[in-house]
Amino acid sequence: MSNLISGNTGKWEIVIGLEVHAQVSSKAKLFSGASATFGGDPNSQVSFVDAGFPGMLPVINQYCVEQAVKTGFGLNAQINLASVFDRKNYFYADLPNGYQISQYKQPIVGEGFLLIDLPDGTTKRVGIERLHLEQDAGKSMHDQHPSKSYIDLNRAGVALMEIVSRPDLRSAEEATLYVKKLRSILRYIGSCDGNMEEGSLRCDANVSVRKPGRELGTRCEIKNVNSVRFLYAAIEYEARRQIEIIEDGGKIHQETRLFDSVKGETRSMRSKEDAHDYRYFPDPDLLPLELDAAWVKSLGESLPELPDAKKARFISEYGLTPYDADVLVMEQERAAFYETVAKGRDGKLAANWVITELLGRLNKDGKDLADSPVSAENLGGLIARISDKTISNTLAKTVFGHMWDEGKTADAVIEEKGMKQVTDTGAIEKLVEEAIAANPAVIAEFKAGKERALGFIVGQVMKKSAGKANPGMVNEILVKKLKSA
Amino acid sequence: MSITVEDVSKIANLARIDVPEAEKPHLAGQLSGMLKFVEQLNEVNTEGVQPMTTAAQMKLPRRADAVTDGGYAGDLLANAPEATGNFFVVPKVIE
């Protein structure tokens, strides 16, 4: 494998496990009726339950339970019909109760797996250890005052799904592919919006290094990496740091580290590891979470077609390459857009146009697919005109430009600009004859054996027809005329 | 199982309780006594019995996903020792 990295004492293997915190796309919090929306005024979205007031009791949000179960199905995982909420005890200013309600020994979702597509064309199966529901903490701001911290509890109590992978990942690249795939599945299911900027998807990475084939090394946990790019940088840095320490005769101490995105390095966060004694115990305020088997089954059946199945179908139904299929199924809206374009038309041609022309143009103009000036129906209309040879692929790009600027259909643009491809044999013959007559020197070259001279004549004809002549027919007629002359 | 003075120090630290050194041996004795009392349960054979987390004969109640609470930052902050701009203000804590 090419995943190994070189140190002074030979090759090293990186071993990575990821813990992803995905915020459930609920309106209200996990155990209270306060809003879970991002960006409210400080402490405006907090109930007495979230603020840990005496006598307040948590009542679970059914929608959050449903999303956890659906996500479990998306991860091919076991759904546990009985699970338990525990208290994870620690002191911090943004945790008003002094404990976080989480799930410890009996999570709602057990073992599963997720598939990632590697750049070499192979597929890798990454084990999922568990998915559990838990509360988010509040937000501390340390930079507002020299000796004080400011606390906003709006986020406190928001529902999170913690998704824990097995230590199956072997490079920073595999880790980023895993997060992208997980994000895609969450968005298909609708259980999390996957917005990393707003913190709806956060990632902790457990990283260790070892000589290939040896037992696992001591791991360090890198906290709160908030973009896929930073995840890559954090793992690369951390692996090199550990290799350097071991090769210099040192030892890795199990610790929590923080990624500093400005400096591009990780640094130690907590020195005293014995502070990590969470004293979990079942929350006496909450009964076990029992799920109805029939209800769980119906949720499994309600799932949309997920990325892996859609990709396989695009390859077999539309004849796409795995790469093109991957690009198209990444986002559900994109896949749906493509299917509207491709329906009953040339699937490969449609994929080229959606990926290269449309997505390329959207990207250049900084627009989302939802704001595309060219609708899926209209792009489909353009594909149809290329396929029935009304216009050439080259001319189609000009037509696309007009469709983008004017929001018109392909047919309207072609009609208005008189861009219809000339397929009338008589008309093309006339143009070819004129071109032959006008370029005797080139014709002489061709007859002397210079085959390439033909291209020049074809170019002349295309130019005269303002790009509207069918290039295949021009070529054919030209060759026929020269051979018979 | 008996609780040592070191155990008492650790528990006190985790609970953020300041226990004077002189009181620790006494507390260690008391905590050991409590554990010993509970240890009597070990005499019962629990082979194959699922741990019981509740004795309540009811199902976990659920709520619908609707915003029904919040919007009273003033009430929340009324008893806070210090507040500004609707934030709680606490001594600086950075890990």
Side-chain angles (χ1 to χ4, degrees):
Chain A
M1 285 295 283
S2 55
N3 277 336
L4 303 181
I5 54 175
S6 298
N8 296 325
T9 60
K11 303 275 189 195
W12 292 85
E13 183 179 50
I14 317 179
V15 177
I16 307 152
L18 295 179
E19 290 171 20
V20 171
H21 288 90
Q23 183 182 324
V24 178
S25 60
S26 59
K27 295 191 197 80
K29 295 183 180 179
L30 182 55
F31 293 112
S32 86
S35 171
T37 323
F38 177 80
D41 289 335
N43 290 309
S44 65
Q45 300 173 177
V46 183
S47 77
F48 292 126
V49 178
D50 310 317
F53 273 51
M56 295 296 121
L57 287 173
V59 180
I60 197 163
N61 182 331
Q62 173 70 0
Y63 176 84
C64 298
V65 175
E66 188 176 318
Q67 299 314 305
V69 171
K70 283 175 142 180
T71 306
F73 276 113
L75 299 173
N76 313 291
Q78 186 202 323
I79 310 297
N80 294 327
L81 295 182
S83 63
V84 173
F85 285 100
D86 298 275
R87 291 186 179 179
K88 178 180 180 177
N89 301 280
Y90 65 91
F91 278 104
Y92 204 66
D94 55 24
L95 189 77
N97 277 320
Y99 60 83
Q100 173 195 32
I101 304 179
S102 181
Q103 295 190 295
Y104 186 48
K105 283 190 177 150
Q106 290 173 263
I108 184 166
V109 174
E111 284 189 72
F113 67 89
L114 174 157
L115 300 174
I116 55 174
D117 296 302
L118 301 179
D120 67 2
T122 60
T123 298
K124 176 168 179 158
R125 183 183 156 124
V126 182
I128 303 284
E129 194 177 301
R130 59 188 282 152
L131 175 156
H132 67 251
L133 281 169
E134 65 179 27
Q135 297 175 301
D136 203 348
K139 192 174 146 202
S140 302
M141 296 162 80
H142 305 297
D143 54 2
Q144 306 290 308
H145 191 282
S147 60
K148 305 281 185 180
S149 290
Y150 287 18
I151 312 291
D152 174 12
L153 297 179
N154 279 351
R155 231 175 52 192
V158 165
L160 303 177
M161 296 181 284
E162 177 170 331
I163 302 160
V164 184
S165 86
R166 293 247 168 237
D168 288 347
L169 299 159
R170 290 291 176 271
S171 69
E173 185 175 29
E174 286 186 9
T176 59
L177 288 170
Y178 170 86
V179 172
K180 283 183 188 165
K181 186 59 171 285
L182 180 57
R183 182 175 180 273
S184 176
I185 292 171
L186 291 168
R187 286 172 55 86
Y188 263 68
I189 292 170
S191 57
C192 170
D193 66 20
N195 190 327
M196 292 189 92
E197 291 81 49
E198 292 181 2
S200 315
L201 199 69
R202 307 196 289 270
C203 191
D204 301 339
N206 285 299
V207 179
S208 66
V209 297
R210 65 173 171 187
K211 286 285 168 92
R214 295 282 193 75
E215 61 187 62
L216 291 175
T218 305
R219 65 190 159 87
C220 289
E221 184 181 9
I222 310 167
K223 279 274 180 207
N224 273 342
V225 189
N226 58 8
S227 85
V228 171
R229 197 161 52 88
F230 291 161
L231 175 66
Y232 188 94
I235 292 171
E236 287 274 302
Y237 175 89
E238 179 60 18
R240 300 215 170 264
R241 185 189 73 87
Q242 292 184 14
I243 290 168
E244 238 172 71
I245 289 174
I246 299 170
E247 290 190 333
D248 289 348
K251 256 188 84 180
I252 304 298
H253 299 285
Q254 187 167 337
E255 61 177 356
T256 305
R257 299 178 68 83
L258 195 73
F259 180 66
D260 182 332
S261 59
V262 179
K263 291 184 183 150
E265 59 185 38
T266 65
R267 61 163 190 269
S268 189
M269 223 176 125
R270 297 188 181 111
S271 46
K272 278 189 288 177
E273 270 309 304
D274 65 0
H276 275 272
D277 186 343
Y278 293 129
R279 294 151 292 145
Y280 282 97
F281 65 90
D283 191 323
D285 287 343
L286 290 159
L287 290 160
L289 176 58
E290 283 168 359
L291 308 178
D292 176 60
W295 178 73
V296 168
K297 188 163 170 276
S298 73
L299 284 183
E301 286 159 359
S302 76
L303 246 49
E305 183 182 37
L306 294 178
D308 288 331
K310 205 182 274 290
K311 181 183 169 185
R313 185 168 62 78
F314 278 14
I315 292 170
S316 68
E317 203 172 309
Y318 298 107
L320 301 189
T321 61
Y323 176 81
D324 283 355
D326 248 354
V327 173
L328 292 173
V329 305
M330 181 73 81
E331 298 283 343
Q332 207 166 15
E333 300 74 24
R334 189 184 290 178
F337 190 100
Y338 166 74
E339 286 214 85
T340 308
V341 176
K343 198 126 208 119
R345 306 195 175 102
D346 182 338
K348 273 183 166 168
L349 190 63
N352 285 342
W353 274 85
V354 170
I355 296 170
T356 314
E357 302 301 329
L358 184 77
L359 294 181
R361 184 68 191 264
L362 287 169
N363 198 27
K364 202 177 120 200
D365 288 18
K367 280 193 163 90
D368 283 334
L369 186 60
D371 314 321
S372 171
V374 178
S375 71
E377 288 75 19
N378 285 357
L379 185 58
L382 179 66
I383 305 295
R385 292 294 86 81
I386 301 169
S387 292
D388 71 11
K389 297 195 163 46
T390 304
I391 48 169
S392 67
N393 205 45
T394 317
L395 205 57
K397 289 180 189 174
T398 312
V399 175
F400 179 77
H402 287 294
M403 290 168 73
W404 182 279
D405 295 333
E406 297 153 30
K408 290 180 181 152
T409 65
D411 286 338
V413 172
I414 293 166
E415 184 66 41
E416 236 170 65
K417 314 274 175 197
M419 289 167 132
K420 209 166 173 179
Q421 184 164 250
V422 179
T423 51
D424 169 11
T425 318
I428 293 178
E429 269 185 11
K430 191 162 165 280
L431 285 170
V432 169
E433 277 164 15
E434 282 170 19
I436 290 172
N439 298 285
V442 182
I443 299 300
E445 270 181 38
F446 173 77
K447 288 194 168 154
K450 266 198 174 173
E451 292 273 340
R452 278 201 323 221
L454 205 61
F456 177 79
I457 302 290
V458 174
Q460 290 299 306
V461 174
M462 292 305 294
K463 207 165 147 193
K464 271 202 153 174
S465 74
K468 287 184 287 184
N470 180 316
M473 288 178 69
V474 172
N475 210 47
E476 200 180 307
I477 290 168
L478 180 57
V479 171
K480 209 161 73 193
K481 287 215 175 287
L482 291 176
K483 291 254 163 83
S484 64
Chain B
M1 191 184 165
S2 70
I3 298 284
T4 63
V5 169
E6 287 75 49
D7 291 330
V8 172
S9 301
K10 189 183 172 190
I11 298 164
N13 180 46
L14 286 170
R16 302 292 189 274
I17 299 172
D18 190 13
V19 178
E21 214 48 50
E23 272 185 41
K24 285 179 183 171
H26 170 67
L27 284 171
Q30 282 202 333
L31 287 168
S32 296
M34 289 175 204
L35 279 182
K36 207 169 160 198
F37 174 74
V38 177
E39 270 171 5
Q40 291 180 70
L41 288 172
N42 289 345
E43 291 166 20
V44 183
N45 181 3
T46 54
E47 189 75 28
V49 178
Q50 285 292 320
M52 188 176 80
T53 48
T54 176
Q57 292 296 313
M58 57 182 287
K59 296 260 181 217
L60 178 69
R62 324 278 171 107
R63 69 163 71 240
D65 184 32
V67 177
T68 56
D69 209 344
Y72 41 74
D75 291 346
L76 295 171
L77 295 160
N79 287 327
E82 199 179 344
T84 188
N86 279 350
F87 286 104
F88 290 95
V89 178
V90 301
K92 185 161 280 201
V93 272
I94 299 190
E95 282 193 85

